[in-house]
């Protein structure tokens, strides 16, 4: 079964760090470009980051640049540092699996909630 | 990167057709054909319903169609059904090798 499963969310104090992971089952992870997308409570979707299939190309939204770092090994990771209240959101990993050539996401995880609060 | 502009809400009666607009700039929608639309129900992950401006995934009903003109993309839902109720988001690849989403539109079936 093709599946993405996020983990690592929780409550963290402002200024601290947190690492999210996204594990993959049912397909060859190393062939796919992966993205992180977040959604603040009651708000819309916000693209966060992309990493190429081989990990050589990465990019970030301006709102997280310099604070977040994406990586991959056998899973996808998002290292978040200098966290702010406005980083509070459900974080989804996502990819293009069946449809299109990229930058559209037909495979999503269930999301993991990050709450930044003192 | 500013979010793409969508109407906050739309509504329609069962069987009707309605269109949701998504306005960007010449750096995103106007410059690229990686425009997508997502449907999201409460508590669920988004679901892709349109990709590359007009293409539908194989599991998506043909009641959903989309187009693009200039800096504006549009999603049309025909034969509105109660299960269509939810939030709809557009997205577009941007010239800065990033992705931008619309603010979202809440669809209510009356």
């Amino acid at each position: 079964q093709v599946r993405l499963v996020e983990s690592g969310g929780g409550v963290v104090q402002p200024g601290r760090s947190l690492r999210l992971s996204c594990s993959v089952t049912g397909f060859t992870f190393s062939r796919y470009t992966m993205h992180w997308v977040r959604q603040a409570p009651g708000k819309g979707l916000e693209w966060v980051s992309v990493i190429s299939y081989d990990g050589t190309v990465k990019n970030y939204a301006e709102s997280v640049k310099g604070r977040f770092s994406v990586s991959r090994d056998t899973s996808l990771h998002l290292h978040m540092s200098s966290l702010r209240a406005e980083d509070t959101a459900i974080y989804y990993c996502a990819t293009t699996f069946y449809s299109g050539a990229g930058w559209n996401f037909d495979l999503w995880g269930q999301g993991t909630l990050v709450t930044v609060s003192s | 990167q500013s979010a793409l502009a969508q109407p906050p809400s739309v509504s329609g009666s069962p069987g009707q057709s309605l269109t949701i607009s998504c306005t960007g700039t010449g750096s995103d929608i106007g410059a690229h054909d990686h425009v997508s639309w997502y449907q999201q129900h409460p508590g669920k992950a988004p679901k892709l319903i349109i990709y590359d401006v007009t293409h539908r995934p194989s599991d998506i009903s043909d009641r959903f169609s989309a187009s693009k003109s200039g800096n504006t993309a549009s999603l049309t839902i025909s034969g509105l059904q109660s299960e269509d109720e939810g939030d709809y988001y557009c997205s577009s690849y941007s010239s800065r090798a990033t992705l931008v989403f619309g603010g979202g539109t809440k669809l209510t079936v009356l």
Side-chain angles (χ1 to χ4, degrees), chain A residues 12-42:
Chain A
V12 60
Q13 292 179 329
R16 303 297 289 264
S17 299
L18 197 64
R19 186 200 199 207
L20 306 182
S21 295
C22 170
S23 63
V24 167
T25 57
F27 65 100
T28 306
F29 174 62
S30 61
R31 295 181 182 175
Y32 292 86
T33 291
M34 300 294 297
H35 297 256
W36 288 98
V37 176
R38 69 183 181 182
Q39 186 169 33

PDB file of all heavy atoms in Angstrom, chain A residues 12-42:
ATOM      1  N   VAL A  12       6.239  22.618  21.449  1.00  0.00           N
ATOM      2  CA  VAL A  12       7.617  23.080  21.619  1.00  0.00           C
ATOM      3  C   VAL A  12       7.601  24.564  21.956  1.00  0.00           C
ATOM      4  O   VAL A  12       6.713  25.304  21.491  1.00  0.00           O
ATOM      5  CB  VAL A  12       8.439  22.792  20.349  1.00  0.00           C
ATOM      6  CG1 VAL A  12       7.851  23.486  19.136  1.00  0.00           C
ATOM      7  CG2 VAL A  12       9.905  23.151  20.533  1.00  0.00           C
ATOM      8  N   GLN A  13       8.548  24.982  22.755  1.00  0.00           N
ATOM      9  CA  GLN A  13       8.621  26.390  23.154  1.00  0.00           C
ATOM     10  C   GLN A  13       9.186  27.251  22.031  1.00  0.00           C
ATOM     11  O   GLN A  13       9.997  26.773  21.210  1.00  0.00           O
ATOM     12  CB  GLN A  13       9.507  26.536  24.390  1.00  0.00           C
ATOM     13  CG  GLN A  13       8.917  25.924  25.646  1.00  0.00           C
ATOM     14  CD  GLN A  13       9.840  26.080  26.841  1.00  0.00           C
ATOM     15  OE1 GLN A  13      11.059  26.098  26.696  1.00  0.00           O
ATOM     16  NE2 GLN A  13       9.256  26.188  28.022  1.00  0.00           N
ATOM     17  N   PRO A  14       8.786  28.509  21.970  1.00  0.00           N
ATOM     18  CA  PRO A  14       9.371  29.420  20.973  1.00  0.00           C
ATOM     19  C   PRO A  14      10.886  29.450  21.091  1.00  0.00           C
ATOM     20  O   PRO A  14      11.443  29.447  22.184  1.00  0.00           O
ATOM     21  CB  PRO A  14       8.756  30.769  21.335  1.00  0.00           C
ATOM     22  CG  PRO A  14       7.483  30.431  22.017  1.00  0.00           C
ATOM     23  CD  PRO A  14       7.747  29.174  22.788  1.00  0.00           C
ATOM     24  N   GLY A  15      11.529  29.475  19.923  1.00  0.00           N
ATOM     25  CA  GLY A  15      12.980  29.507  19.875  1.00  0.00           C
ATOM     26  C   GLY A  15      13.649  28.162  19.872  1.00  0.00           C
ATOM     27  O   GLY A  15      14.848  28.061  19.565  1.00  0.00           O
ATOM     28  N   ARG A  16      12.890  27.113  20.203  1.00  0.00           N
ATOM     29  CA  ARG A  16      13.459  25.771  20.237  1.00  0.00           C
ATOM     30  C   ARG A  16      13.378  25.113  18.871  1.00  0.00           C
ATOM     31  O   ARG A  16      12.886  25.694  17.900  1.00  0.00           O
ATOM     32  CB  ARG A  16      12.726  24.932  21.285  1.00  0.00           C
ATOM     33  CG  ARG A  16      12.759  25.521  22.674  1.00  0.00           C
ATOM     34  CD  ARG A  16      14.170  25.620  23.215  1.00  0.00           C
ATOM     35  NE  ARG A  16      14.746  24.331  23.548  1.00  0.00           N
ATOM     36  CZ  ARG A  16      14.743  23.807  24.776  1.00  0.00           C
ATOM     37  NH1 ARG A  16      14.160  24.429  25.774  1.00  0.00           N
ATOM     38  NH2 ARG A  16      15.323  22.640  25.013  1.00  0.00           N
ATOM     39  N   SER A  17      13.880  23.886  18.814  1.00  0.00           N
ATOM     40  CA  SER A  17      13.937  23.142  17.552  1.00  0.00           C
ATOM     41  C   SER A  17      13.088  21.882  17.626  1.00  0.00           C
ATOM     42  O   SER A  17      12.779  21.384  18.713  1.00  0.00           O
ATOM     43  CB  SER A  17      15.389  22.761  17.242  1.00  0.00           C
ATOM     44  OG  SER A  17      16.198  23.902  17.095  1.00  0.00           O
ATOM     45  N   LEU A  18      12.760  21.378  16.446  1.00  0.00           N
ATOM     46  CA  LEU A  18      11.978  20.148  16.344  1.00  0.00           C
ATOM     47  C   LEU A  18      12.298  19.508  15.007  1.00  0.00           C
ATOM     48  O   LEU A  18      12.544  20.206  14.012  1.00  0.00           O
ATOM     49  CB  LEU A  18      10.494  20.449  16.446  1.00  0.00           C
ATOM     50  CG  LEU A  18       9.536  19.297  16.768  1.00  0.00           C
ATOM     51  CD1 LEU A  18       9.815  18.743  18.165  1.00  0.00           C
ATOM     52  CD2 LEU A  18       8.085  19.752  16.650  1.00  0.00           C
ATOM     53  N   ARG A  19      12.303  18.180  14.974  1.00  0.00           N
ATOM     54  CA  ARG A  19      12.555  17.473  13.727  1.00  0.00           C
ATOM     55  C   ARG A  19      11.363  16.607  13.365  1.00  0.00           C
ATOM     56  O   ARG A  19      10.971  15.735  14.154  1.00  0.00           O
ATOM     57  CB  ARG A  19      13.806  16.607  13.846  1.00  0.00           C
ATOM     58  CG  ARG A  19      14.245  15.948  12.549  1.00  0.00           C
ATOM     59  CD  ARG A  19      15.135  14.769  12.836  1.00  0.00           C
ATOM     60  NE  ARG A  19      15.946  14.344  11.709  1.00  0.00           N
ATOM     61  CZ  ARG A  19      16.385  13.103  11.527  1.00  0.00           C
ATOM     62  NH1 ARG A  19      16.085  12.157  12.408  1.00  0.00           N
ATOM     63  NH2 ARG A  19      17.136  12.801  10.489  1.00  0.00           N
ATOM     64  N   LEU A  20      10.825  16.836  12.200  1.00  0.00           N
ATOM     65  CA  LEU A  20       9.739  16.020  11.683  1.00  0.00           C
ATOM     66  C   LEU A  20      10.294  14.976  10.721  1.00  0.00           C
ATOM     67  O   LEU A  20      11.315  15.207  10.063  1.00  0.00           O
ATOM     68  CB  LEU A  20       8.709  16.870  10.948  1.00  0.00           C
ATOM     69  CG  LEU A  20       8.118  18.053  11.710  1.00  0.00           C
ATOM     70  CD1 LEU A  20       7.065  18.750  10.839  1.00  0.00           C
ATOM     71  CD2 LEU A  20       7.530  17.620  13.025  1.00  0.00           C
ATOM     72  N   SER A  21       9.612  13.851  10.648  1.00  0.00           N
ATOM     73  CA  SER A  21       9.981  12.817   9.689  1.00  0.00           C
ATOM     74  C   SER A  21       8.759  12.355   8.923  1.00  0.00           C
ATOM     75  O   SER A  21       7.621  12.491   9.398  1.00  0.00           O
ATOM     76  CB  SER A  21      10.631  11.618  10.404  1.00  0.00           C
ATOM     77  OG  SER A  21      11.851  11.982  11.000  1.00  0.00           O
ATOM     78  N   CYS A  22       9.007  11.828   7.755  1.00  0.00           N
ATOM     79  CA  CYS A  22       7.944  11.288   6.905  1.00  0.00           C
ATOM     80  C   CYS A  22       8.446   9.946   6.365  1.00  0.00           C
ATOM     81  O   CYS A  22       9.410   9.910   5.589  1.00  0.00           O
ATOM     82  CB  CYS A  22       7.642  12.255   5.779  1.00  0.00           C
ATOM     83  SG  CYS A  22       6.546  11.625   4.486  1.00  0.00           S
ATOM     84  N   SER A  23       7.812   8.890   6.809  1.00  0.00           N
ATOM     85  CA  SER A  23       8.214   7.565   6.337  1.00  0.00           C
ATOM     86  C   SER A  23       7.327   7.144   5.174  1.00  0.00           C
ATOM     87  O   SER A  23       6.156   7.528   5.084  1.00  0.00           O
ATOM     88  CB  SER A  23       8.137   6.553   7.473  1.00  0.00           C
ATOM     89  OG  SER A  23       6.814   6.426   7.914  1.00  0.00           O
ATOM     90  N   VAL A  24       7.911   6.346   4.311  1.00  0.00           N
ATOM     91  CA  VAL A  24       7.263   5.982   3.063  1.00  0.00           C
ATOM     92  C   VAL A  24       7.134   4.471   2.966  1.00  0.00           C
ATOM     93  O   VAL A  24       8.075   3.746   3.295  1.00  0.00           O
ATOM     94  CB  VAL A  24       8.105   6.507   1.883  1.00  0.00           C
ATOM     95  CG1 VAL A  24       7.659   5.901   0.585  1.00  0.00           C
ATOM     96  CG2 VAL A  24       8.076   8.018   1.825  1.00  0.00           C
ATOM     97  N   THR A  25       5.990   4.007   2.548  1.00  0.00           N
ATOM     98  CA  THR A  25       5.820   2.578   2.289  1.00  0.00           C
ATOM     99  C   THR A  25       5.124   2.390   0.953  1.00  0.00           C
ATOM    100  O   THR A  25       4.354   3.233   0.507  1.00  0.00           O
ATOM    101  CB  THR A  25       4.989   1.893   3.383  1.00  0.00           C
ATOM    102  OG1 THR A  25       3.721   2.558   3.476  1.00  0.00           O
ATOM    103  CG2 THR A  25       5.685   1.952   4.728  1.00  0.00           C
ATOM    104  N   GLY A  26       5.451   1.292   0.290  1.00  0.00           N
ATOM    105  CA  GLY A  26       4.751   0.908  -0.923  1.00  0.00           C
ATOM    106  C   GLY A  26       5.314   1.441  -2.218  1.00  0.00           C
ATOM    107  O   GLY A  26       4.775   1.142  -3.292  1.00  0.00           O
ATOM    108  N   PHE A  27       6.378   2.243  -2.163  1.00  0.00           N
ATOM    109  CA  PHE A  27       6.999   2.704  -3.400  1.00  0.00           C
ATOM    110  C   PHE A  27       8.469   3.037  -3.165  1.00  0.00           C
ATOM    111  O   PHE A  27       8.924   3.126  -2.024  1.00  0.00           O
ATOM    112  CB  PHE A  27       6.254   3.896  -4.011  1.00  0.00           C
ATOM    113  CG  PHE A  27       6.276   5.159  -3.195  1.00  0.00           C
ATOM    114  CD1 PHE A  27       7.165   6.192  -3.492  1.00  0.00           C
ATOM    115  CD2 PHE A  27       5.379   5.367  -2.157  1.00  0.00           C
ATOM    116  CE1 PHE A  27       7.162   7.385  -2.774  1.00  0.00           C
ATOM    117  CE2 PHE A  27       5.369   6.539  -1.423  1.00  0.00           C
ATOM    118  CZ  PHE A  27       6.263   7.549  -1.724  1.00  0.00           C
ATOM    119  N   THR A  28       9.193   3.221  -4.251  1.00  0.00           N
ATOM    120  CA  THR A  28      10.632   3.480  -4.175  1.00  0.00           C
ATOM    121  C   THR A  28      10.866   4.956  -3.883  1.00  0.00           C
ATOM    122  O   THR A  28      10.879   5.803  -4.789  1.00  0.00           O
ATOM    123  CB  THR A  28      11.315   3.064  -5.479  1.00  0.00           C
ATOM    124  OG1 THR A  28      10.997   1.698  -5.778  1.00  0.00           O
ATOM    125  CG2 THR A  28      12.838   3.198  -5.348  1.00  0.00           C
ATOM    126  N   PHE A  29      11.066   5.248  -2.623  1.00  0.00           N
ATOM    127  CA  PHE A  29      11.186   6.621  -2.125  1.00  0.00           C
ATOM    128  C   PHE A  29      12.251   7.411  -2.881  1.00  0.00           C
ATOM    129  O   PHE A  29      12.057   8.592  -3.182  1.00  0.00           O
ATOM    130  CB  PHE A  29      11.505   6.547  -0.632  1.00  0.00           C
ATOM    131  CG  PHE A  29      11.804   7.859   0.015  1.00  0.00           C
ATOM    132  CD1 PHE A  29      10.866   8.865   0.058  1.00  0.00           C
ATOM    133  CD2 PHE A  29      13.039   8.078   0.621  1.00  0.00           C
ATOM    134  CE1 PHE A  29      11.133  10.075   0.692  1.00  0.00           C
ATOM    135  CE2 PHE A  29      13.315   9.285   1.250  1.00  0.00           C
ATOM    136  CZ  PHE A  29      12.360  10.279   1.285  1.00  0.00           C
ATOM    137  N   SER A  30      13.359   6.779  -3.208  1.00  0.00           N
ATOM    138  CA  SER A  30      14.505   7.473  -3.787  1.00  0.00           C
ATOM    139  C   SER A  30      14.244   8.002  -5.193  1.00  0.00           C
ATOM    140  O   SER A  30      15.073   8.726  -5.743  1.00  0.00           O
ATOM    141  CB  SER A  30      15.723   6.546  -3.806  1.00  0.00           C
ATOM    142  OG  SER A  30      15.457   5.401  -4.594  1.00  0.00           O
ATOM    143  N   ARG A  31      13.127   7.684  -5.772  1.00  0.00           N
ATOM    144  CA  ARG A  31      12.818   8.161  -7.115  1.00  0.00           C
ATOM    145  C   ARG A  31      11.946   9.421  -7.124  1.00  0.00           C
ATOM    146  O   ARG A  31      11.668   9.967  -8.189  1.00  0.00           O
ATOM    147  CB  ARG A  31      12.080   7.070  -7.892  1.00  0.00           C
ATOM    148  CG  ARG A  31      12.896   5.832  -8.150  1.00  0.00           C
ATOM    149  CD  ARG A  31      12.098   4.817  -8.942  1.00  0.00           C
ATOM    150  NE  ARG A  31      12.850   3.579  -9.178  1.00  0.00           N
ATOM    151  CZ  ARG A  31      12.364   2.501  -9.746  1.00  0.00           C
ATOM    152  NH1 ARG A  31      11.100   2.480 -10.163  1.00  0.00           N
ATOM    153  NH2 ARG A  31      13.110   1.426  -9.920  1.00  0.00           N
ATOM    154  N   TYR A  32      11.519   9.873  -5.955  1.00  0.00           N
ATOM    155  CA  TYR A  32      10.515  10.917  -5.916  1.00  0.00           C
ATOM    156  C   TYR A  32      10.983  12.197  -5.226  1.00  0.00           C
ATOM    157  O   TYR A  32      11.568  12.156  -4.138  1.00  0.00           O
ATOM    158  CB  TYR A  32       9.252  10.405  -5.211  1.00  0.00           C
ATOM    159  CG  TYR A  32       8.549   9.350  -6.015  1.00  0.00           C
ATOM    160  CD1 TYR A  32       8.922   8.017  -5.917  1.00  0.00           C
ATOM    161  CD2 TYR A  32       7.532   9.693  -6.897  1.00  0.00           C
ATOM    162  CE1 TYR A  32       8.297   7.047  -6.686  1.00  0.00           C
ATOM    163  CE2 TYR A  32       6.903   8.728  -7.662  1.00  0.00           C
ATOM    164  CZ  TYR A  32       7.295   7.411  -7.554  1.00  0.00           C
ATOM    165  OH  TYR A  32       6.672   6.458  -8.322  1.00  0.00           O
ATOM    166  N   THR A  33      10.717  13.322  -5.870  1.00  0.00           N
ATOM    167  CA  THR A  33      10.856  14.621  -5.233  1.00  0.00           C
ATOM    168  C   THR A  33       9.783  14.743  -4.168  1.00  0.00           C
ATOM    169  O   THR A  33       8.637  14.340  -4.382  1.00  0.00           O
ATOM    170  CB  THR A  33      10.706  15.733  -6.292  1.00  0.00           C
ATOM    171  OG1 THR A  33      11.841  15.689  -7.165  1.00  0.00           O
ATOM    172  CG2 THR A  33      10.637  17.103  -5.636  1.00  0.00           C
ATOM    173  N   MET A  34      10.157  15.284  -3.025  1.00  0.00           N
ATOM    174  CA  MET A  34       9.242  15.352  -1.890  1.00  0.00           C
ATOM    175  C   MET A  34       9.080  16.791  -1.419  1.00  0.00           C
ATOM    176  O   MET A  34       9.998  17.609  -1.534  1.00  0.00           O
ATOM    177  CB  MET A  34       9.766  14.507  -0.731  1.00  0.00           C
ATOM    178  CG  MET A  34       9.944  13.037  -1.037  1.00  0.00           C
ATOM    179  SD  MET A  34       8.381  12.184  -1.369  1.00  0.00           S
ATOM    180  CE  MET A  34       7.543  12.355   0.198  1.00  0.00           C
ATOM    181  N   HIS A  35       7.894  17.071  -0.883  1.00  0.00           N
ATOM    182  CA  HIS A  35       7.566  18.410  -0.408  1.00  0.00           C
ATOM    183  C   HIS A  35       7.022  18.354   1.011  1.00  0.00           C
ATOM    184  O   HIS A  35       6.473  17.335   1.428  1.00  0.00           O
ATOM    185  CB  HIS A  35       6.486  19.041  -1.298  1.00  0.00           C
ATOM    186  CG  HIS A  35       6.897  19.252  -2.718  1.00  0.00           C
ATOM    187  ND1 HIS A  35       7.223  20.495  -3.220  1.00  0.00           N
ATOM    188  CD2 HIS A  35       7.027  18.385  -3.743  1.00  0.00           C
ATOM    189  CE1 HIS A  35       7.514  20.387  -4.504  1.00  0.00           C
ATOM    190  NE2 HIS A  35       7.404  19.116  -4.843  1.00  0.00           N
ATOM    191  N   TRP A  36       7.165  19.489   1.702  1.00  0.00           N
ATOM    192  CA  TRP A  36       6.446  19.728   2.952  1.00  0.00           C
ATOM    193  C   TRP A  36       5.459  20.879   2.721  1.00  0.00           C
ATOM    194  O   TRP A  36       5.808  21.885   2.125  1.00  0.00           O
ATOM    195  CB  TRP A  36       7.411  20.102   4.072  1.00  0.00           C
ATOM    196  CG  TRP A  36       8.247  18.972   4.580  1.00  0.00           C
ATOM    197  CD1 TRP A  36       9.526  18.667   4.238  1.00  0.00           C
ATOM    198  CD2 TRP A  36       7.848  17.975   5.541  1.00  0.00           C
ATOM    199  NE1 TRP A  36       9.962  17.549   4.918  1.00  0.00           N
ATOM    200  CE2 TRP A  36       8.946  17.116   5.733  1.00  0.00           C
ATOM    201  CE3 TRP A  36       6.680  17.733   6.276  1.00  0.00           C
ATOM    202  CZ2 TRP A  36       8.912  16.037   6.606  1.00  0.00           C
ATOM    203  CZ3 TRP A  36       6.637  16.661   7.140  1.00  0.00           C
ATOM    204  CH2 TRP A  36       7.753  15.817   7.308  1.00  0.00           C
ATOM    205  N   VAL A  37       4.257  20.686   3.206  1.00  0.00           N
ATOM    206  CA  VAL A  37       3.190  21.688   3.151  1.00  0.00           C
ATOM    207  C   VAL A  37       2.604  21.794   4.554  1.00  0.00           C
ATOM    208  O   VAL A  37       2.452  20.781   5.230  1.00  0.00           O
ATOM    209  CB  VAL A  37       2.088  21.275   2.147  1.00  0.00           C
ATOM    210  CG1 VAL A  37       0.926  22.276   2.165  1.00  0.00           C
ATOM    211  CG2 VAL A  37       2.665  21.144   0.739  1.00  0.00           C
ATOM    212  N   ARG A  38       2.281  22.992   4.991  1.00  0.00           N
ATOM    213  CA  ARG A  38       1.705  23.143   6.315  1.00  0.00           C
ATOM    214  C   ARG A  38       0.386  23.890   6.265  1.00  0.00           C
ATOM    215  O   ARG A  38       0.068  24.563   5.278  1.00  0.00           O
ATOM    216  CB  ARG A  38       2.680  23.843   7.258  1.00  0.00           C
ATOM    217  CG  ARG A  38       2.932  25.311   6.957  1.00  0.00           C
ATOM    218  CD  ARG A  38       3.982  25.874   7.915  1.00  0.00           C
ATOM    219  NE  ARG A  38       4.238  27.299   7.680  1.00  0.00           N
ATOM    220  CZ  ARG A  38       5.137  28.003   8.365  1.00  0.00           C
ATOM    221  NH1 ARG A  38       5.875  27.411   9.315  1.00  0.00           N
ATOM    222  NH2 ARG A  38       5.326  29.275   8.091  1.00  0.00           N
ATOM    223  N   GLN A  39      -0.371  23.729   7.336  1.00  0.00           N
ATOM    224  CA  GLN A  39      -1.676  24.370   7.437  1.00  0.00           C
ATOM    225  C   GLN A  39      -1.899  24.788   8.878  1.00  0.00           C
ATOM    226  O   GLN A  39      -2.067  23.930   9.752  1.00  0.00           O
ATOM    227  CB  GLN A  39      -2.774  23.427   6.961  1.00  0.00           C
ATOM    228  CG  GLN A  39      -4.143  24.050   6.883  1.00  0.00           C
ATOM    229  CD  GLN A  39      -5.143  23.161   6.171  1.00  0.00           C
ATOM    230  OE1 GLN A  39      -5.082  21.933   6.245  1.00  0.00           O
ATOM    231  NE2 GLN A  39      -6.102  23.759   5.467  1.00  0.00           N
ATOM    232  N   ALA A  40      -1.874  26.083   9.122  1.00  0.00           N
ATOM    233  CA  ALA A  40      -2.157  26.607  10.455  1.00  0.00           C
ATOM    234  C   ALA A  40      -3.607  26.320  10.812  1.00  0.00           C
ATOM    235  O   ALA A  40      -4.458  26.207   9.917  1.00  0.00           O
ATOM    236  CB  ALA A  40      -1.872  28.097  10.511  1.00  0.00           C
ATOM    237  N   PRO A  41      -3.916  26.186  12.089  1.00  0.00           N
ATOM    238  CA  PRO A  41      -5.292  25.862  12.491  1.00  0.00           C
ATOM    239  C   PRO A  41      -6.313  26.820  11.906  1.00  0.00           C
ATOM    240  O   PRO A  41      -6.201  28.044  12.071  1.00  0.00           O
ATOM    241  CB  PRO A  41      -5.224  25.974  14.016  1.00  0.00           C
ATOM    242  CG  PRO A  41      -3.806  25.705  14.357  1.00  0.00           C
ATOM    243  CD  PRO A  41      -3.007  26.290  13.235  1.00  0.00           C
ATOM    244  N   GLY A  42      -7.270  26.285  11.182  1.00  0.00           N
ATOM    245  CA  GLY A  42      -8.323  27.091  10.588  1.00  0.00           C
ATOM    246  C   GLY A  42      -7.901  27.946   9.417  1.00  0.00           C
ATOM    247  O   GLY A  42      -8.677  28.790   8.937  1.00  0.00           O
TER     248      GLY A  42
END
